[in-house]
Amino acid sequence: IADVGTGKEAESWDLSGAAVIDGKGGILIPGLINTHCHVSMMPFRTLGDDCADRLRRFLFPLENDAMTRKLVYRAAKYGICEMLLAGVTTFLDMYYFEDEVAKACEELGLRGFLGATVIGQPYGGLEYAEEFIRQWNHSSLVRPLVAPHATYSVSPEMLKKSFDLAEKYDTLYTIHVCEMEHELKKFRTEYDRTPVEFLADLGVLDRRTVAAHCVYM
């Protein structure tokens, strides 16, 4: 944006070569920021939405059976187009084959804070997460980060190792926290803590931590 003002003011501007948009009757706002999504899960949208334990009963099996690099890439392009049409200019994402999401960001011009999911799945390891950071650390649009899946799906040791990786490369650290009722029951039973207290005791809550969902915070 070179300048903003009324049409009369614009007559005195030297905007040679610039596009002029008549925004009368509209609202000019900063770009929206989506602070948590899994953009490539778009093909699974609405599946099992109203079922208990949707993640383990529906989504994990679907991902293991159907998710591929090609699908991650194509679904990311579709989801990014939706965000661009809605005025989103930046998003934070956690998923598998995240380098394919990064390619889609660069092709379509959307800023992405992207993390390869760290979880006990065939394609969710810490080694891939570190390689992704190294590969995309100097992109103008992509900011790699570390993304352990959740308090209930990743061991305490792996949560800490993931945080150490974020500190090593000075990236953000994002994780699902207080997402489901069974998560709270698990931590109260096993640790006599809430998930937030557990993460605090583990030493992984600080300026770089972005907690997602937080339904039962």
Side-chain angles (χ1 to χ4, degrees):
I1 297 175
D3 217 326
V4 178
T6 66
K8 190 173 182 180
E9 290 171 329
E11 294 174 3
S12 62
W13 294 343
D14 180 14
L15 299 177
S16 52
V20 178
I21 298 172
D22 182 356
K24 185 176 181 179
I27 301 173
L28 181 65
I29 63 172
L32 301 174
I33 299 175
N34 178 350
T35 58
H36 180 73
C37 72
H38 312 282
V39 67
S40 294
M41 288 184 75
M42 182 279 301
F44 303 149
R45 187 179 290 167
T46 76
L47 297 180
D49 272 355
D50 56 350
C51 296
D53 202 6
R54 173 178 180 251
L55 188 66
R56 290 185 292 194
R57 288 179 60 197
F58 291 95
L59 297 181
F60 281 164
L62 275 170
E63 287 172 337
N64 287 334
D65 288 344
M67 192 50 70
T68 63
R69 281 188 164 275
K70 187 176 182 180
L71 184 55
V72 166
Y73 170 71
R74 291 188 172 182
K77 293 190 80 171
Y78 186 101
I80 285 171
C81 286
E82 283 190 334
M83 285 192 277
L84 287 168
L85 288 169
V88 175
T89 59
T90 304
F91 73 111
L92 188 153
D93 192 73
M94 169 201 293
Y95 208 53
Y96 311 115
F97 305 125
E98 201 69 4
D99 52 308
E100 299 294 339
V101 182
K103 291 176 190 175
C105 284
E106 292 208 326
E107 289 175 14
L108 294 172
L110 191 67
R111 297 184 193 93
F113 285 77
L114 311 181
T117 303
V118 177
I119 192 174
Q121 298 280 58
Y123 30 70
L126 202 59
E127 295 79 11
Y128 173 84
E130 182 167 14
E131 179 57 32
F132 175 72
I133 293 172
R134 289 174 176 168
Q135 182 182 0
W136 291 93
N137 221 4
H138 305 292
S139 167
S140 61
L141 286 175
V142 174
R143 295 290 184 272
L145 51 85
V146 183
H149 180 262
T151 59
Y152 56 83
S153 58
V154 180
S155 70
E157 293 76 19
M158 190 57 71
L159 291 175
K160 190 66 174 69
K161 285 182 180 179
S162 297
F163 190 79
D164 292 342
L165 184 64
E167 288 195 313
K168 177 181 177 180
Y169 291 97
D170 192 21
T171 73
L172 294 178
Y173 174 90
T174 191
I175 181 173
H176 299 151
V177 181
C178 294
E179 181 181 5
M180 292 178 277
E181 287 181 317
H182 75 73
E183 176 187 353
L184 270 69
K185 292 177 183 176
K186 168 186 169 69
F187 280 88
R188 285 172 180 153
T189 302
E190 296 182 14
Y191 302 102
D192 193 28
R193 296 279 189 280
T194 66
V196 175
E197 289 169 333
F198 170 81
L199 292 174
D201 290 344
L202 201 59
V204 300
L205 291 184
D206 77 352
R207 64 176 180 81
R208 72 178 72 254
T209 306
V210 181
H213 294 302
C214 306
V215 180
Y216 298 99
M217 187 72 82

